[in-house]
């Protein structure tokens, strides 16, 4: 794995280099500023497979660097681990929204850093797997399933399903704030999937996730698409309205006549918002347990198979990311 | 065999950390002088915003590295100072300068202790 570590403090860089050496990562480069890192990335003949960015740096900070890297060809999904001494929600949110996939707080535990690097490798495999399935299906080969998430274009406030778990786990570990995790299910997406091409389906999901995210970001929350027509949201508990209220607003916005989702399939969307599960200092559920509980809450009599498949997806994702 | 490999990694890490620790301790004298002059400037100037920002930057760096190289007390003191200065800066408040001075002095004392232990 080719790694680029960036920190303005050369002692931290030595510490990172020492850790990488000890764990057998020999193919790495170091940079002391965001600007130097960008030059290195652009000049590199082979692509970097993982980045470690300090957030607080003079000049271009780590969050800005992260945003710039995401705009470079071939680096849309490369794992980016942010490193900072700050562990409050604002910092986590800004980093993940800029495209970070994970977070390590300073002072870092050396073995934890290595665990995060292994996780980054598995995350990269997960992105590749998802991308290949989508491309195969687009070219007529059976690949993508309704029960799987799709790779979406960049939408503000939306994280991939494999990354939102890292976000939640950092928030739980740091006790930054209490969060509510809830799921939104749009049953009609099944017929959209069956009656449209992959590109059209991705387009519909992107439009819907945008509508959901507009509401969720209003409560400083983040959204992710988990497949099976199910979206999972993570929000701070303050001021979050009752699920029926969210359902009402979403239904109106999603069926706005000005939104044309897919010309081939005419649908009126219904919305199910599940009861939230909360993170708690006293009972620390893993992110995947919380996602499972949120998905279980949008179960209805007609949907047990679908829900069990969604549940299975969360379990498989957990296995793939912790293998 | 696996245990041997782990032991090898642990030894390698220990050596690397010791080297990094020595490099960091080598910088402490300069950091002490810098922080001392910032404290004096903070007390004598009418608007200490620049000095507070620089003290915060020093605390940030010390906090970032100390805990990872076994200097946890130093790291905790730096973290406390950094947090107070950060929260006040973000909230656009002027912190209680007497308290900042006390925290900075505790940090300076601990830096001296680390230097003494090392020599």
């Amino acid at each position: 794995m080719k790694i680029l570590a960036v920190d303005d403090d050369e002692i931290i860089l030595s510490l990172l280099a020492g850790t990488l050496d000890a764990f057998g990562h020999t193919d790495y480069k170091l940079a002391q500023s965001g600007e130097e890192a960008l030059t290195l990335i652009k000049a590199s003949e082979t692509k970097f497979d993982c980045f470690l960015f300090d957030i607080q740096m003079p000049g271009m900070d780590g969050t800005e660097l992260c945003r710039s890297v995401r705009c470079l060809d071939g680096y849309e999904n490369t794992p980016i681990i942010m490193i900072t001494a700050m562990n409050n929600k604002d910092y986590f949110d800004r980093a993940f929204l800029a495209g970070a996939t994970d977070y390590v707080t300073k002072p870092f535990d050396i073995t934890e850093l290595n665990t995060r690097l292994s996780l980054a490798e598995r995350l990269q495999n997960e992105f590749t797997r998802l991308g290949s399935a989508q491309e195969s299906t687009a070219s007529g080969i059976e690949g993508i399933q309704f029960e799987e998430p799709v790779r979406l274009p960049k939408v503000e406030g939306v994280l991939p399903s494999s990354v939102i778990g890292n976000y939640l786990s950092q928030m739980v570990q740091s006790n930054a704030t209490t969060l509510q995790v809830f799921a939104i299910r749009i049953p009609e997406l099944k017929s959209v999937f069956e009656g449209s091409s992959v590109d059209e389906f991705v387009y519909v999901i992107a439009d819907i996730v945008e509508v959901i995210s507009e509401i969720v970001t209003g409560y400083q929350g983040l959204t992710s698409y988990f497949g099976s027509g199910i979206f999972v949201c993570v929000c701070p508990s303050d001021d979050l309205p009752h699920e029926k209220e969210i359902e009402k607003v979403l239904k109106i916005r999603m069926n706005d006549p000005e939104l044309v989702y897919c010309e081939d399939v005419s649908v009126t969307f219904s919305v199910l918002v599940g009861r939230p599960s909360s993170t708690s200092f006293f009972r620390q559920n893993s992110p995947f347990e919380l996602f499972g509980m949120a998905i279980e809450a949008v179960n209805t009599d007609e949907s047990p198979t679908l829900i069990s498949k969604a549940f299975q997806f969360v379990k498989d994702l957990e296995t793939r990311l912790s293998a | 065999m696996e245990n041997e490999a782990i032991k090898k990694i642990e030894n390698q890490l220990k050596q690397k950390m010791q080297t990094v620790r020595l490099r960091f301790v080598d910088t402490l004298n300069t950091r002490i002088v810098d922080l001392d002059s910032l404290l004096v400037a903070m007390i004598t100037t009418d608007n200490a915003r620049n000095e507070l920002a620089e003290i915060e930057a020093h605390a940030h760096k010390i906090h970032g590295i100390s805990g990872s190289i076994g200097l946890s007390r130093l790291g905790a003191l730096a973290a406390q100072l950094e947090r107070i200065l950060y929260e006040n800066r973000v909230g656009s408040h002027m912190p209680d300068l007497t308290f900042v001075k006390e925290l900075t002095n505790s940090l300076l004392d601990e830096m001296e202790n680390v230097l003494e232990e090392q020599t």
Side-chain angles (χ1 to χ4, degrees):
Chain A
M1 184 156 68
K2 187 174 174 181
I3 300 167
L4 174 64
V6 190
D7 200 302
D8 64 310
D9 189 325
E10 60 167 317
I11 295 180
I12 294 273
L13 276 184
S14 325
L15 187 64
L16 287 170
T19 309
L20 292 172
D21 282 335
F23 285 105
H25 298 284
T26 48
D27 190 7
Y28 64 83
K29 294 251 181 274
L30 305 172
Q32 270 192 284
S33 71
E35 292 82 357
E36 187 191 345
L38 267 186
T39 312
L40 269 173
I41 297 167
K42 287 177 186 167
S44 177
E45 281 176 18
T46 51
K47 264 182 58 191
F48 285 95
D49 304 302
C50 181
F51 296 108
L52 294 165
F53 294 163
D54 178 32
I55 293 196
Q56 285 143 301
M57 292 189 287
M60 179 188 281
D61 70 11
T63 309
E64 216 180 315
L65 174 61
C66 184
R67 215 170 278 125
S68 305
V69 169
R70 284 287 175 248
C71 298
L72 298 175
D73 251 5
Y75 285 108
E76 296 83 357
N77 296 306
T78 310
I80 301 179
I81 303 170
M82 305 302 275
I83 305 177
T84 182
M86 288 297 182
N87 64 350
N88 63 37
K89 186 177 178 298
D90 282 352
Y91 269 82
F92 288 134
D93 285 3
R94 270 193 283 151
F96 278 94
L97 288 175
T101 51
D102 209 348
Y103 206 99
V104 173
T105 45
K106 280 194 237 172
F108 47 81
D109 177 73
I110 308 295
T111 41
E112 199 211 330
L113 184 69
N114 191 48
T115 309
R116 293 283 162 195
L117 285 168
S118 312
L119 180 65
E121 210 161 2
R122 290 194 291 273
L123 205 62
Q124 176 74 336
N125 295 340
E126 179 67 13
F127 280 131
T128 312
R129 193 187 66 81
L130 206 61
S132 323
Q134 213 159 303
E135 277 150 26
S136 305
T137 315
S139 40
I141 306 159
E142 192 65 29
I144 192 175
Q145 304 289 321
F146 176 62
E147 292 76 20
E148 296 252 313
V150 287
R151 214 161 59 175
L152 293 168
K154 177 117 188 78
V155 179
E156 191 61 31
V158 178
L159 297 180
S161 52
S162 43
V163 173
I164 202 163
N166 284 343
Y167 170 78
L168 191 54
S169 120
Q170 289 298 337
M171 295 293 286
V172 171
Q173 269 174 31
S174 67
N175 278 314
T177 186
T178 306
L179 293 170
Q180 311 249 41
V181 182
F182 63 95
I184 298 171
R185 186 161 81 87
I186 319 287
E188 293 75 19
L189 282 175
K190 176 87 176 152
S191 55
V192 174
F193 180 81
E194 284 161 353
S196 59
S197 69
V198 175
D199 286 348
E200 284 170 331
F201 183 66
V202 170
Y203 179 71
V204 173
I205 296 288
D207 271 355
I208 288 183
V209 87
E210 208 171 330
V211 174
I212 295 175
S213 179
E214 258 175 39
I215 294 172
V216 172
T217 48
Y219 298 100
Q220 285 82 50
L222 296 170
T223 306
S224 183
Y225 179 58
F226 270 56
S228 303
I230 295 172
F231 301 82
V232 172
C233 308
V234 177
C235 279
S237 49
D238 312 336
D239 305 329
L240 189 69
H242 190 272
E243 50 265 30
K244 292 289 161 205
E245 196 109 344
I246 304 175
E247 238 173 56
K248 214 158 74 184
V249 180
L250 273 176
K251 202 172 168 188
I252 295 169
R253 294 214 193 160
M254 264 180 218
N255 292 300
D256 181 339
E258 282 186 21
L259 276 174
V260 180
Y261 292 99
C262 171
E263 282 166 2
D264 296 339
V265 187
S266 145
V267 278
T268 304
F269 290 116
S270 58
V271 182
L272 280 164
V273 177
R275 198 167 37 83
S277 303
S278 293
T279 59
S280 156
F281 174 72
F282 299 103
R283 196 170 149 261
Q284 289 200 349
N285 294 100
S286 82
F288 295 98
E289 282 170 332
L290 288 163
F291 295 148
M293 279 148 67
I295 289 170
E296 194 58 52
V298 286
N299 196 356
T300 57
D301 289 345
E302 319 86 71
S303 61
T305 323
L306 188 84
I307 293 298
S308 70
K309 282 185 178 169
F311 209 78
Q312 191 56 47
F313 164 73
V314 173
K315 285 212 147 298
D316 291 346
L317 183 67
E318 182 177 17
T319 312
R320 282 197 296 274
L321 294 182
S322 50
Chain B
M1 195 66 191
E2 201 177 309
N3 278 347
E4 266 179 42
I6 294 172
K7 250 190 193 150
K8 197 179 154 197
I9 293 178
E10 279 175 355
N11 280 338
Q12 216 177 327
L13 268 174
K14 229 184 199 169
Q15 280 174 12
K16 302 260 180 196
M17 291 315 113
Q18 186 56 20
T19 316
V20 175
R21 188 179 160 130
L22 288 174
R23 278 189 65 192
F24 175 69
V25 173
D26 268 351
T27 67
L28 283 181
N29 268 326
T30 320
R31 291 180 202 256
I32 290 171
V33 173
D34 288 351
L35 273 171
D36 261 334
S37 12
L38 282 166
L39 262 191
V40 173
M42 178 189 92
I43 296 158
T44 49
T45 186
D46 288 340
N47 184 352
R49 283 194 195 285
N50 289 341
E51 286 74 16
L52 289 169
E54 280 191 53
I55 295 173
E56 187 186 336
H58 272 284
H60 171 74
K61 293 207 169 187
I62 297 168
H63 167 206
I65 190 132
S66 302
S68 304
I69 50 171
L71 300 169
S72 46
R73 182 168 157 73
L74 184 64
L77 287 167
Q80 194 185 5
L81 176 60
E82 183 190 8
R83 200 186 61 245
I84 298 287
L85 293 172
Y86 168 79
E87 282 168 0
N88 279 284
R89 181 169 53 81
V90 170
S92 301
H93 305 128
M94 190 52 117
D96 175 352
L97 293 186
T98 316
F99 187 45
V100 171
K101 194 180 157 196
E102 265 173 41
L103 287 177
T104 313
N105 277 326
S106 306
L107 179 66
L108 284 163
D109 288 345
E110 186 57 25
M111 287 161 87
E112 302 273 9
N113 287 342
V114 172
L115 269 173
E116 266 172 40
E117 277 165 26
Q118 200 64 49
T119 47

